[in-house]
Amino acid sequence: MAKYNITVKKEKEAAYRSLVSPQMMDEMQEKILSIIVMQKKYRDKTYSAKKLAEDLNTNTRYISAVVNVRFHMNYTSFVNKYRIEEAMSILVDKRYQDLRMEEVSDMVGFANRQSFYASFYRMMGITPREYRLQHLQQHPAMKAKKVTRKDKDKD
């Protein structure tokens, strides 16, 4: 599919990954999860791998190695995974059904709507708007608010 120009990255072997001991991987994995997930740093648009490395008193190569080996993805994909999961909850929550996609995107930490849409599509195979509409169709009680042409233009 040509939608959003998504390309599949080839797996490459990085020599530095083997330099991190399994014990250090375990410790760093727990610390990374604590900061990114428990402290919800994924919501912070400016929280980079470099800032995470500084918070953990290490370097970005170690962060990258742990995220690649333990979570099987790069740092950006790792953070975006939690952003998308939270966005999915927001999109189907009737308390937030009046939010525009830009607002949902901002709430979960994306810098802009385009990166939100591209990441969401890459992970879910559908756009956030399609996800919301599918969920509304599955739950008739949530259809109470009629979607008007003006609402559609917001997306």
Side-chain angles (χ1 to χ4, degrees):
M1 276 191 223
K3 204 169 192 177
Y4 299 112
N5 291 328
I6 296 172
T7 57
V8 178
K9 291 185 177 181
K10 293 182 182 113
E11 195 64 34
K12 6 177 206 182
E13 193 56 43
Y16 63 87
R17 289 181 193 162
S18 61
L19 299 176
V20 184
S21 71
Q23 295 83 3
M24 188 176 191
M25 284 255 184
D26 290 342
E27 287 175 32
M28 288 188 64
Q29 178 181 1
E30 290 302 314
K31 289 176 182 177
I32 290 169
L33 285 170
S34 173
I35 291 172
I36 300 296
V37 182
M38 302 306 285
Q39 295 177 29
K40 298 187 187 275
K41 288 289 188 178
Y42 62 85
R43 289 181 179 169
D44 183 348
K45 294 172 184 55
T46 63
Y47 198 76
S48 63
K50 184 177 180 183
K51 286 185 181 178
L52 177 60
E54 289 170 6
D55 288 348
L56 296 177
N57 296 317
T58 189
N59 62 52
T60 55
R61 286 201 155 212
Y62 283 147
I63 298 294
S64 178
V66 173
V67 172
N68 274 278
V69 171
R70 294 300 171 97
F71 303 108
H72 310 290
M73 59 186 85
N74 64 30
Y75 177 80
T76 302
S77 296
F78 175 71
V79 171
N80 285 347
K81 174 182 176 275
Y82 292 101
R83 290 173 174 164
I84 298 300
E85 287 174 0
E86 184 168 352
M88 288 167 57
S89 296
I90 292 169
L91 289 169
V92 299
D93 190 326
K94 58 186 170 185
R95 295 174 297 177
Y96 301 114
Q97 73 186 49
D98 291 332
L99 289 181
R100 294 183 347 262
M101 287 302 151
E102 288 85 358
E103 294 167 319
V104 174
S105 169
D106 190 57
M107 282 175 71
V108 299
F110 282 97
N112 57 58
R113 190 183 100 149
Q114 289 77 20
S115 61
F116 172 52
Y117 261 71
S119 295
F120 196 100
Y121 189 85
R122 187 179 299 117
M123 186 171 161
M124 301 304 299
I126 58 174
T127 67
R129 184 177 185 282
E130 289 169 336
Y131 181 83
R132 177 185 264 171
L133 291 173
Q134 279 182 7
H135 197 275
L136 288 174
Q137 289 168 353
Q138 291 172 359
H139 299 331
M142 291 179 70
K143 283 187 186 177
K145 179 187 179 275
K146 252 188 168 170
V147 178
T148 65
R149 180 75 194 140
K150 192 173 98 182
D151 292 333
K152 286 182 182 177
D153 290 342
K154 288 180 186 176
D155 291 341

